[in-house]
């Protein structure tokens, strides 16, 4: 049994469809803005970790300073929030993380496996 369809004037139907489309575009714009904000926060975190490792692994740094990254278990601190389930956001994150891993490898090859594991667990689908 199908529900009864009430007749609706063409102009009213067009107005409803246009309104629905405008609403969808508004939600989409808000989602994109939030996604970009989230990516910017992740960029800040990744750069912060990179600078921390750059400083703590600097050649003249003391052995105690070199051990700080391991002591702080940095790989346990950084996780990609599950709110970034959108593929586009994850792809942007992967691109950014890959770039940072390359930088990390140049600065401190000893932590390459740690960051690869962070990225692997963060993007698990």
């Amino acid at each position: 049994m199908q529900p009864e369809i009430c007749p609706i004037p063409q102009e009213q139907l067009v107005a409803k469809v246009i309104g629905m489309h405008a609403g969808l575009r508004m939600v989409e714009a808000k989602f994109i803005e939030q996604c970009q904000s989230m990516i910017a926060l992740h960029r800040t975190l990744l750069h912060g970790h990179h600078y921390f490792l750059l400083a703590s692994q600097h050649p003249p740094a003391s052995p105690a300073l070199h051990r700080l990254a391991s002591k702080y278990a940095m790989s346990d601190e950084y996780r990609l929030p599950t709110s970034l389930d959108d593929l586009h956001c994850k792809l942007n994150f992967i691109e950014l993380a890959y770039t940072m891993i390359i930088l990390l490898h140049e600065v401190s090859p000893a932590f390459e496996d740690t960051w690869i594991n962070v990225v692997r667990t963060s993007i698990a689908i």
Side-chain angles (χ1 to χ4, degrees), residues 22-89:
L24 288 171
R25 298 293 292 185
M26 187 174 60
V27 170
E28 180 183 31
K30 188 173 194 108
F31 174 79
I32 290 169
E33 180 184 319
Q34 288 178 353
C35 183
Q36 290 170 341
S37 294
M38 189 69 85
I39 290 169
L41 288 171
H42 283 285
R43 181 177 290 112
T44 301
L45 279 172
L46 285 169
H47 283 280
H49 282 282
H50 174 252
Y51 293 137
F52 173 84
L53 289 169
L54 185 65
S56 69
Q57 303 305 303
H58 199 273
S62 70
L65 195 55
H66 279 247
R67 290 190 298 270
L68 279 182
S70 296
K71 178 184 175 187
Y72 291 154
M74 290 179 64
S75 63
D76 294 336
E77 292 177 9
Y78 189 82
R79 292 287 181 263
L80 183 65
T82 56
S83 62
L84 284 185
D85 288 335
D86 178 70
L87 183 59
H88 178 72
C89 289

Side-chain angles (χ1 to χ4, degrees), residues 12-31:
Q12 190 178 1
L13 182 58
V14 168
K16 277 190 173 231
V17 170
I18 289 172
M20 287 177 192
H21 181 260
L24 288 171
R25 298 293 292 185
M26 187 174 60
V27 170
E28 180 183 31
K30 188 173 194 108
F31 174 79

